[in-house]
Amino acid sequence: MSAPNMDVLVSLAKRRGFIFQSSEIYGGTGSCWDYGPLGVELKQNIKRVWWRDFIQERPDMVGLDASILMHATVWKASGHVDNFTDPMVDCRECKRRFRADQVGDMAWLHFCPATKGNKFTIPAGGPCPHCGATRTLCPECGKGELTAPRQFNLMFKTFMGPVEEDAALTYLRPETAQGIFVNFDNVLQSMRLKLPFGIAQIGKAFRNEITPGNFIFRSREFEQMEIEYFVNPNDRMDGRPADEAIHDTWIEACRAWFVRYGLAADHMKFHEHETAELAHYSKRTVDILYKFPMGWSELMGIANRTDFDLKQHSKFSGKSLTYFDEERKEHIVPFVIEPSAGVDRALLAFLLDAYQEEEVRGEKRVLLRLHRELAPITIAVLPLLKKRPEIVSTAHELRTRLAKRWRTVYDDTAAIGRLYRRQDEVGTPYCVTVDVKTVGDREKGEAGDGKVTIRERDSMEQIRVPLADLDTIFGRLMGETAWSEVAAAYPRAEG
Ligand code: GAP
C-alpha cells in the first residue's frame, strides 16, 4: 500500500487527539507540535520498545539522561559553533528567509511584464511561459532581491543566570550526543565497562531550522533516540577494522528494528553519504530513508564519528578521555558508531505505514494497523447496552483490571459498530465487548455465561472467551503468540 497523503494524516492526527499545532489558539507556530492524549502514548511506546530492545536487553549497553543546557564550550569543542550552519538568503523586500540550497526548488511568484504585470505562480525551476524569464527575485513576494548567501547557525542561543551577557551565553542542545561524549569517563569508571559498549540517550533537541515543515518531519523542537557505540579501532572483526564491521551491524539492526515494528521493507532504503555530504566529524554515514509523501527522506542516520568528539573534548577540557586497552597495554581513544533516530520522524513513518482505508460491507473503514506494542490503546472495553447497569459495571471492573497491565479504555458513547470503527481509526488492536449474555437477565431468571467477545482489529474476527481467561489471552497476544493461534482455542462469535 502506498502512504496516504500528508493532509489526510494531519487531519486524522488532529481529529483523534494524536498531534496538535503548538500554540494553535494564537495562530500556531508551524515549527513546533504538541502531542495529544493518543500521540503521547504512541510516542512513549516507540521510546519504550527502542529502550528495551537496544539498551535493556543487551549486555553491552547502558543509558544516560544528560541535561539540555550544557557548558558553552561543549559546542565550541564539538564544532557546532563553527560548523552547524546552513547557507541562507534574505529577501530585501518582504524579509523572508530561505535556505540558499533550496530556493531554486520552490515554485515562484512572478509579475510578468509580457502580460501587463499579471501575477503567476511558476513551477520550481521553470521559466515563465509568457515572457520566458527565470527566477531572480524572492520566490514568495516576487518583488524583492535576495541577499548573497550567509551562514546561519542553527543553534538556539540562551543565557544562563540572571544577566544577559556574553559570559552567560549558552545553547539549547542541537543533538543529544554531546551529553554522552562529555560523560564518557564518568560512565566508563562508574560502570567498569569493557569495549565495545554503547551509551544511549533519549531526549529533546532544538534546531532553529530555516525551513521547518512537512508536519512533524522537520520541526524546531524534536526528540532524538541516540546511541554512541564505542569501539577499539585497533581491534579487527571479520578481517576488517572493528569500527567498520560494527558500523555495518548497526545499519542492519536499525533497518530490522523499523521492519519489526511495522514499516514495509520496500518503504525504506539506504543512502550512502558522498564525501562532500559528510558531517565534519564523520568518516562514513549511511541514512535510512523512508518513502514519505513528499519523497524519499531521512528517517535516521548511522554515522562513524571516529574519535573526533572524544579528542575534541579532551583538547578543550584538558581531561583525558581514553580507554586502557589491557591486551595491548596502551591508552586509546575509542571510535564511535552513532545510530541516531528522530522520535518524531519514526512516529510519522509508523503512522503513515499503518494508515489504511478499505471497504467493509459497502462502508469505508479507516484503520491504523499499528504494531500491538506501539498502539496508543491496547484494549477498548465496550458495553453493548449502556442502559443495563450490570453490563456497565462489569465493563468498568474489567477495564480497571486490564488497565493494571495494558493501556485500556472504556467507551459507551455510541452504538457498538461505531465504537469499533473509532478504535480501528486509532489503531486499537483489541476490543472486548460485554453483552447481555455475559451478565444474564435477573428479571427473566437467566444467569450470565461470564464470557465476553474479543474482536481483533485487522481481521475483524471475534471470539467468545471466559472473563477469567482474559489476562492469559492478552499476555499471550502481547507476547509472541499470533492472534490465529489464540483464536483457534475459542468459539467464533458473530459480528
Ligand atoms: N547526532 C547526530 C545527529 O543529530 P542528524 O542527522 O542531524 O544527526 C539525527 O539527526 C536524526 O534526528 C535525523 O535522522 C532525524 O530523524 C532527526 N532530526 C534531525 N533534525 C530534525 C528536525 N529538525 N525535526 C525532526 N527530526 C529531526
Side-chain angles (χ1 to χ4, degrees):
M1 247 210 52
S2 60
N5 172 314
M6 193 76 98
D7 292 341
V8 170
L9 199 79
V10 174
S11 151
L12 179 126
K14 179 170 179 195
R15 191 162 32 85
R16 301 309 315 272
F18 281 88
I19 302 164
F20 311 123
Q21 199 176 110
S22 162
S23 321
E24 193 182 323
I25 59 167
Y26 288 102
T29 63
S31 59
C32 300
W33 299 88
D34 296 344
Y35 287 83
L38 297 193
V40 71
E41 297 286 347
L42 174 58
K43 202 176 189 204
Q44 299 271 28
N45 288 343
I46 292 171
K47 293 189 280 185
R48 182 177 53 79
V49 295
W50 186 88
W51 194 260
R52 180 193 65 197
D53 299 344
F54 286 129
I55 292 94
Q56 294 175 329
E57 288 191 359
R58 292 179 59 132
D60 55 346
M61 294 289 305
V62 292
L64 183 80
D65 184 11
S67 63
I68 288 172
L69 295 172
M70 302 173 75
H71 197 288
T73 314
V74 167
W75 306 109
K76 188 78 193 143
S78 68
H80 283 82
V81 171
D82 296 325
N83 298 313
F84 197 55
T85 54
D86 274 341
M88 54 98 194
V89 290
D90 290 305
C91 171
R92 293 189 199 280
E93 190 74 26
C94 70
K95 310 294 177 207
R96 284 197 184 85
R97 179 165 281 183
F98 308 94
R99 264 180 62 171
D101 53 344
Q102 288 175 353
V103 76
D105 301 333
M106 298 174 69
W108 53 288
L109 195 68
H110 178 50
F111 294 91
C112 175
T115 61
K116 298 186 189 151
N118 278 342
K119 195 165 81 172
F120 299 102
T121 301
I122 315 284
C128 169
H130 308 287
C131 70
T134 52
R135 189 198 59 77
T136 51
L137 303 174
C138 170
E140 289 277 352
C141 73
K143 292 180 180 161
E145 288 192 356
L146 297 177
T147 60
R150 280 182 293 151
Q151 291 301 326
F152 171 74
N153 197 295
L154 299 186
M155 285 195 293
F156 278 100
K157 286 182 183 156
T158 189
F159 297 93
M160 274 220 233
V163 189
E164 289 196 11
E165 58 181 21
D166 281 356
L169 174 74
T170 189
Y171 305 90
L172 300 187
R173 68 180 179 202
E175 60 171 12
T176 62
Q178 298 304 324
I180 297 179
F181 296 128
V182 300
N183 276 296
F184 170 77
D185 201 50
N186 284 335
V187 177
L188 179 68
Q189 301 308 334
S190 58
M191 304 306 287
R192 300 166 188 279
L193 298 167
K194 293 264 174 283
L195 288 178
F197 69 84
I199 307 177
Q201 171 161 223
I202 299 178
K204 291 266 183 172
F206 303 83
R207 296 182 189 179
N208 200 2
E209 301 279 3
I210 300 169
T211 47
N214 287 314
F215 196 25
I216 54 172
F217 177 83
R218 180 170 286 109
S219 51
R220 294 196 170 116
E221 175 179 341
F222 55 98
E223 250 181 304
Q224 291 186 313
M225 307 187 279
E226 297 204 294
I227 293 170
E228 306 303 326
Y229 196 80
F230 299 94
V231 181
N232 189 333
N234 299 324
D235 285 350
R236 295 190 73 79
M237 261 177 77
D238 307 328
R240 306 161 65 194
D243 61 302
E244 294 179 11
I246 288 176
H247 192 185
D248 280 341
T249 314
W250 273 108
I251 293 167
E252 178 46 29
C254 293
R255 192 200 66 83
W257 188 84
F258 280 108
V259 172
R260 174 174 174 189
Y261 291 102
L263 295 198
D266 62 350
H267 288 177
M268 282 184 286
K269 68 179 182 185
F270 294 129
H271 167 68
E272 184 87 37
H273 282 217
E274 306 274 338
T275 313
E277 220 184 319
L278 287 173
H280 60 278
Y281 49 71
S282 174
K283 163 177 163 183
R284 178 185 175 220
T285 296
V286 173
D287 288 341
I288 298 180
L289 307 186
Y290 175 74
K291 205 174 181 183
F292 286 99
M294 65 281 187
W296 288 101
S297 311
E298 180 184 335
L299 176 60
M300 73 171 294
I302 305 114
N304 183 340
R305 290 182 83 126
T306 68
D307 53 8
F308 176 85
D309 300 272
L310 290 180
K311 277 192 170 157
Q312 285 292 104
H313 287 304
S314 186
K315 185 171 137 195
F316 278 74
S317 67
K319 302 276 174 353
S320 159
L321 295 176
T322 57
Y323 172 87
F324 186 66
D325 180 345
E326 299 277 357
E327 207 179 301
R328 299 179 184 90
K329 304 285 178 227
E330 60 179 0
H331 288 275
I332 58 118
V333 181
F335 268 36
V336 174
I337 304 302
E338 180 193 62
S340 172
V343 180
D344 312 78
R345 274 189 205 177
L347 186 144
L348 180 58
F350 284 130
L351 277 179
L352 287 163
D353 243 64
Y355 186 91
Q356 192 168 322
E357 288 178 11
E358 57 184 34
E359 205 178 293
V360 177
R361 293 185 212 112
E363 272 185 39
K364 180 168 131 181
R365 176 168 97 120
V366 174
L367 77 157
L368 291 180
R369 282 180 184 266
L370 287 169
H371 187 279
R372 61 189 182 283
E373 290 203 77
L374 299 188
I377 300 166
T378 310
I379 306 163
V381 179
L382 314 171
L384 194 70
L385 293 174
K386 69 171 173 182
K387 287 188 189 139
R388 290 284 300 270
E390 316 90 278
I391 294 182
V392 170
S393 62
T394 304
H396 277 301
E397 278 164 27
L398 189 56
R399 190 214 68 85
T400 307
R401 183 177 122 201
L402 297 175
K404 295 200 187 322
R405 291 178 65 188
W406 302 285
R407 183 79 180 103
T408 309
V409 296
Y410 168 93
D411 192 3
D412 66 5
T413 55
I416 193 72
R418 179 174 283 228
L419 292 181
Y420 283 152
R421 294 287 177 273
R422 276 193 203 153
Q423 295 300 330
D424 289 343
E425 206 185 20
V426 299
T428 308
Y430 311 109
C431 291
V432 176
T433 309
V434 181
D435 57 24
V436 181
K437 277 203 264 167
T438 315
V439 296
D441 192 330
R442 220 177 294 154
E443 282 177 16
K444 290 186 188 160
E446 289 169 9
D449 65 2
K451 292 181 179 170
V452 287
T453 299
I454 304 180
R455 173 187 182 267
E456 196 264 344
R457 178 195 66 203
D458 298 350
S459 61
M460 292 188 288
E461 279 173 9
Q462 301 187 17
I463 54 173
R464 191 79 184 162
V465 305
L467 278 164
D469 286 9
L470 285 176
D471 294 77
T472 313
I473 289 174
F474 286 119
R476 293 180 70 206
L477 287 172
M478 292 305 285
E480 297 298 311
T481 314
W483 164 258
S484 54
E485 196 180 320
V486 172
Y490 294 96
R492 290 288 160 92
E494 291 305 312

